[in-house]
């Protein structure tokens, strides 16, 4: 099988290749094609992969290209991990919002809308080239905002594009471990949108054990999300929220905590140093990557953990892996017919009551050689459903704005978001993003 990685010069690509090196089941990925708009970044990551493969028998062959059609042709699976505008675009996503007193975050709030506006047209063009050159390929979307981008690509590829995120499975894993249970033997009742969902139940041997977790202070203390939100609040909710819901439930505290260096600015500095170091010392590529990865992982959502006294990230979480494990499990389930249940971003159909059928939602799905089937969920209570409906309306308006080039729809998307406080502010957001992000200005010219 050939796996194509779009954004193949990205920092997390070695995680995917490392997982492939550990995968010995048949059929396996025999060739990895890396595509990126930056030849320099491709060269740096190729050095890392070559050093990762040292000592392995018959590692997957690695090819690189800056030509999209060459990358896609003959692909069996396509991992989409693009960052349109690079980390410089992400820093603008965050800073423009913060300068207006709003949350500055990559996927949540106005930053996520700006990211989506410039990414959606590129993602749809990629989908069109996949349909033309590799119509039987499965596209697994890592690109954020994952739900929004997956929904846009579905307009071309239908069910052959699936979105993934590691936040829900991480939450399930932590909740099970806190109760001393094997995460592979529990069934989660998880429902929502990407970066906006709740674990409402956890079934083990036919019994929902989540109430036991919520009632146990010591066990809750072992769950990072519970430490972030506080035991009293998760008990009030009657559920464990995805970590990104902190930005909705504790907005003022989040904005205040972001007064210094943003996450995007931190990553931009880390990655600039990494790629420059590899250019200067390619023989040290893997060591440089390992050092930078440790720094990156330990600083994930550090501002939130600091203001909530949640402490450092658990070593088990850092070692458990993320996107790469989910993506390769999904590949295995489809390519080898290994039945599995996974939390994925898929078309709603009728799985989540109160949302449009075409909306992409993040819910448990049954996966096997025939594809992905969303599983029905219990109705969301009003306190959750209202927020989900509003944010989904924002996502769908953003998609429409990006594909039509409509500035008025873009302002509507910003205005509708629950973390934006006025239409006037929405207009300032659009002006600010257009001024600082050329890729967005090209989609929505003045």
């Amino acid at each position: 099988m050939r796996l194509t990685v779009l954004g193949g010069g990205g920092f997390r690509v070695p995680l995917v290749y490392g997982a492939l090196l550990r995968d010995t089941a048949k059929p396996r990925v025999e060739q990895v094609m890396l595509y990126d708009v930056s030849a320099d970044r491709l060269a740096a990551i190729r050095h890392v992969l070559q050093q990762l493969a040292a000592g392995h028998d018959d590692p997957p062959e690695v090819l690189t290209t800056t030509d999209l059609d060459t990358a896609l042709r003959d692909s069996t699976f396509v991992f989409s991990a693009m960052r349109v505008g690079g980390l410089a675009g992400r820093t603008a996503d965050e800073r423009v919002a913060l300068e207006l007193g709003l949350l500055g975050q990559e996927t949540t709030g106005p930053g996520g809308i700006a990211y989506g506006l410039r990414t959606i047209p590129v993602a749809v063009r990629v989908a069109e080239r996949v349909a033309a050159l590799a119509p039987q390929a499965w596209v697994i979307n890592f690109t954020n905002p994952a739900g929004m981008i997956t929904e846009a690509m579905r307009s071309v590829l239908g069910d052959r594009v699936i979105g993934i995120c590691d936040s829900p499975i991480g939450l399930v894993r932590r909740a099970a471990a806190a109760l001393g249970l094997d995460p592979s033997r529990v069934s989660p009742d998880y429902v929502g949108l990407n970066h906006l969902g709740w674990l409402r139940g956890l079934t083990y041997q036919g019994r929902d054990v989540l109430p036991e977790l919520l009632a146990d202070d010591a066990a809750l203390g072992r769950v990072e999300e519970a430490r972030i939100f506080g035991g009293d609040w998760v008990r009030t909710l009657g559920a464990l929220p995805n970590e990104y819901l902190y930005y909705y439930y504790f907005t003022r505290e989040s904005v205040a905590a972001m007064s210094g260096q943003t996450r995007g600015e931190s990553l931009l500095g880390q990655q600039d140093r990494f790629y420059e170091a590899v250019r200067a010392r390619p023989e040290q590529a893997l060591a440089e990557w390992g050092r930078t990865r440790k720094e990156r992982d330990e600083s994930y959502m550090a501002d939130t953990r600091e203001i909530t006294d949640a402490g450092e990230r658990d070593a088990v979480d850092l070692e458990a892996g993320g996107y790469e494990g989910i993506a390769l499990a999904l590949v295995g389930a489809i390519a080898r017919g290994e039945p599995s249940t996974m939390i994925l971003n898929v078309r709603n159909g009728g799985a989540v009551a109160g949302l449009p059928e075409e909306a992409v939602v993040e819910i448990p799905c049954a996966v096997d050689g025939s594809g992905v089937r969303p599983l029905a969920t219990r109705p969301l209570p009003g306190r959750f459903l209202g927020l989900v409906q509003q944010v989904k309306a924002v996502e769908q308006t953003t998609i429409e704005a990006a594909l039509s080039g409509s500035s008025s729809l873009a302002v509507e998307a910003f205005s509708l978001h629950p973390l934006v406080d006025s239409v006037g502010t929405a207009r300032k957001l659009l002006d600010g993003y257009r001024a600082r992000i050329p890729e967005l200005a090209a989609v929505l010219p003045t």
Side-chain angles (χ1 to χ4, degrees):
M1 296 190 295
R2 172 188 271 197
L3 167 64
T4 294
V5 181
L6 308 180
F11 183 79
R12 291 190 295 182
V13 170
L15 295 173
V16 173
Y17 192 69
L20 290 173
L21 290 172
R22 297 187 294 272
D23 184 20
T24 59
K26 302 288 186 179
R28 64 189 287 263
V29 172
E30 298 166 331
Q31 190 177 76
V32 179
M33 171 67 79
L34 305 182
Y35 163 80
D36 205 286
V37 297
S38 169
D40 286 345
R41 288 168 66 91
L42 280 174
I45 293 302
R46 184 163 191 163
H47 284 303
V48 177
L49 303 193
Q50 288 171 339
Q51 290 166 32
L52 267 177
H56 286 266
D57 295 330
D58 192 28
E61 179 187 13
V62 176
L63 305 173
T64 62
T65 183
T66 56
D67 180 74
L68 179 62
D69 284 4
T70 299
L72 293 175
R73 197 171 282 113
D74 301 324
S75 296
T76 311
F77 288 91
V78 177
F79 288 0
S80 178
M82 305 177 292
R83 184 174 287 282
V84 178
L87 283 172
R90 175 174 178 170
T91 63
D93 293 339
E94 296 164 342
R95 275 291 160 204
V96 168
L98 285 169
E99 288 168 6
L100 291 169
L102 304 177
L103 178 79
Q105 209 279 329
E106 175 192 21
T107 62
T108 303
I113 296 171
Y115 193 7
L117 286 169
R118 67 178 181 272
T119 304
I120 287 163
V122 177
V124 170
R125 286 197 294 272
V126 165
E128 291 168 346
R129 297 315 297 155
V130 171
L133 298 169
Q136 299 306 309
W138 290 89
V139 176
I140 300 176
N141 179 53
F142 297 53
T143 300
N144 278 324
M148 194 188 303
I149 301 305
T150 302
E151 187 164 331
M153 296 182 81
R154 277 192 52 85
S155 65
V156 178
L157 297 171
D159 291 341
R160 296 194 81 85
V161 58
I162 304 159
I164 66 169
C165 182
D166 58 351
S167 290
I169 189 59
L171 173 57
V172 172
R173 185 173 59 227
R174 288 185 283 274
L179 291 169
L181 303 177
D182 180 350
S184 68
R185 299 184 64 188
V186 299
S187 297
D189 175 6
Y190 183 93
V191 63
L193 309 178
N194 181 238
H195 288 182
L196 199 160
W198 298 265
L199 180 64
R200 304 180 301 168
L202 195 66
T203 300
Y204 178 72
Q205 295 183 342
R207 182 169 57 90
D208 183 5
V209 295
L210 186 64
E212 297 174 23
L213 176 59
L214 295 178
D216 187 331
D217 285 337
L220 268 185
R222 294 191 286 273
V223 180
E224 183 170 310
E225 287 81 358
R227 297 198 302 272
I228 289 173
F229 288 94
D232 288 346
W233 182 241
V234 299
R235 290 188 186 104
T236 297
L237 295 174
L240 283 172
N242 184 295
E243 58 201 344
Y244 285 85
L245 275 160
Y246 187 86
Y247 300 124
Y248 293 90
Y249 292 140
F250 295 92
T251 308
R252 287 178 181 266
E253 294 86 346
S254 298
V255 174
M258 293 176 178
S259 58
Q261 187 181 56
T262 69
R263 174 68 170 167
E265 289 162 348
S266 172
L267 291 179
L268 181 60
Q270 288 176 17
Q271 294 195 17
D272 280 352
R273 291 190 294 273
F274 163 73
Y275 287 105
E276 181 56 38
V278 174
R279 278 192 292 271
R281 298 181 301 279
E283 72 281 0
Q284 294 295 315
L286 180 57
E288 287 289 346
W289 180 82
R291 178 192 60 75
T292 306
R293 180 198 172 192
K294 184 174 185 293
E295 181 182 354
R296 176 192 176 107
D297 286 349
E298 289 177 347
S299 62
Y300 177 69
M301 296 194 84
D303 50 353
T304 301
R305 293 197 309 277
E306 182 177 346
I307 60 177
T308 58
D309 292 324
E312 298 297 319
R313 294 194 72 193
D314 291 339
V316 172
D317 280 346
L318 294 177
E319 295 165 2
Y323 283 87
E324 70 283 359
I326 300 168
L328 268 296
L330 183 54
V331 167
I334 294 173
R336 298 193 282 260
E338 301 169 351
S340 180
T341 300
M342 307 176 68
I343 299 173
L344 301 169
N345 285 265
V346 295
R347 180 180 182 270
N348 177 37
V352 182
L355 290 178
E357 289 192 0
E358 75 278 6
V360 165
V361 294
E362 192 168 76
I363 56 174
C365 300
V367 189
D368 58 24
S370 65
V372 175
R373 295 179 301 284
L375 302 176
T377 65
R378 290 186 293 126
L380 280 165
R383 64 186 184 277
F384 296 164
L385 180 61
L387 180 58
V388 169
Q389 288 175 324
Q390 188 171 0
V391 173
K392 177 50 66 177
V394 170
E395 291 184 353
Q396 294 187 326
T397 304
T398 302
I399 292 170
E400 189 178 356
L403 295 180
S404 66
S406 169
S407 294
S408 63
L409 283 172
V411 170
E412 181 181 350
F414 284 119
S415 300
L416 287 174
H417 201 284
L419 299 180
V420 176
D421 55 8
S422 79
V423 176
T425 301
R427 292 180 177 133
K428 291 177 182 177
L429 283 165
L430 179 57
D431 289 343
Y433 287 129
R434 276 198 290 221
R436 296 198 200 181
I437 306 174
E439 293 84 1
L440 191 149
V443 173
L444 298 169
T446 54

